[in-house]
Amino acid sequence: HIRQLHPADLAHVLERLPPEARLLVWQEVGERQRGEVLLEVSGALRKSLIEVSGRQALVAALTHLDAEDLAYLAEAVPEDVLREASRSLDAGERTWLQSSMAYGRDAVAALMSPEVVFIREYQTVEDVLVHLRQRGELPPQTDRLFVVDSRNVLRGSLPLQALLLNDPGVQAGALMTADSLSF
């Protein structure tokens, strides 16, 4: 029954159990699910679950997570475990993970996501829509696309609504808002 639970539900169950029962349940959690559960539990419980997990079991659990999730857990897990788990990431994600860990937990950069959608200012609405369909999905919380010039310099942003309400032949640069906030 445990392995059928969503990680958030399992985290809720673990939070409510007495310590002895909690360890019993934790031992039955599958390796793929363990990393996701660690993301959902409180900091104190996360610390205790990491302490009782063997090094190899912890590496195996973290190997299934993406760069953002590893960055979130970075301060809670031993450095050597994190380093070994990050080897499963591709080079770009590994670089992003290392650069995001360079910032403190209270810095804006620690909260940033590597998932953004850039388009060129000369692309037409039709070109952008084709590009988005080829991607298959958008990063979570996407409500606008970032418009860059040929040197990849941010020029503005384009609300998704503008793509839906304008002629397919109009260029993104003509529809973008140039007052985008950047850090």
Side-chain angles (χ1 to χ4, degrees):
H1 294 291
I2 291 170
R3 293 183 182 179
Q4 295 172 358
L5 290 175
H6 186 277
D9 295 331
L10 186 51
H12 181 76
V13 168
L14 287 168
E15 295 276 357
R16 303 297 183 269
L17 289 173
E20 306 81 33
R22 183 181 297 150
L23 292 177
L24 237 146
V25 170
W26 183 244
Q27 291 172 353
E28 295 301 318
V29 175
E31 126 184 338
R32 180 176 285 278
Q33 199 175 20
R34 280 185 177 202
E36 295 174 7
V37 171
L38 287 173
L39 293 167
E40 300 289 340
V41 295
S42 68
L45 180 54
R46 181 181 304 122
K47 181 179 178 185
S48 70
L49 292 175
I50 288 171
E51 287 174 358
V52 300
S53 298
R55 184 184 184 289
Q56 284 309 110
L58 195 53
V59 169
L62 298 179
T63 300
H64 299 289
L65 299 177
D66 64 19
E68 281 183 85
D69 293 338
L70 282 175
Y72 181 78
L73 294 174
E75 291 183 9
V77 298
E79 189 176 326
D80 62 320
V81 170
L82 183 66
R83 189 173 36 256
E84 190 172 336
S86 69
R87 290 184 186 138
S88 67
L89 302 172
D90 66 39
E93 287 181 314
R94 202 168 30 255
T95 300
W96 180 86
L97 175 63
Q98 290 168 350
S99 66
S100 70
M101 288 174 22
Y103 298 99
R105 196 106 171 110
D106 57 345
V108 171
L111 302 173
M112 291 175 33
S113 168
E115 295 184 62
V116 293
V117 180
F118 293 101
I119 59 171
R120 303 278 182 202
E121 60 187 341
Y122 59 80
Q123 286 181 289
T124 64
V125 167
E126 183 177 16
D127 295 337
V128 172
L129 290 173
V130 167
H131 171 71
L132 293 177
R133 287 185 188 112
Q134 288 173 345
R135 284 182 61 101
E137 65 181 55
L138 293 174
Q141 309 298 322
T142 300
D143 64 343
R144 60 186 56 245
L145 308 176
F146 296 99
V147 182
V148 296
D149 63 15
S150 59
R151 296 174 298 143
N152 291 324
V153 174
L154 180 66
R155 306 308 278 166
S157 65
L158 179 64
L160 291 179
Q161 183 178 7
L163 292 174
L164 300 173
L165 301 177
N166 283 284
D167 185 84
V170 177
Q171 288 189 338
L175 300 173
M176 72 178 187
T177 55
D179 61 348
S180 295
L181 181 62
S182 63
F183 296 92

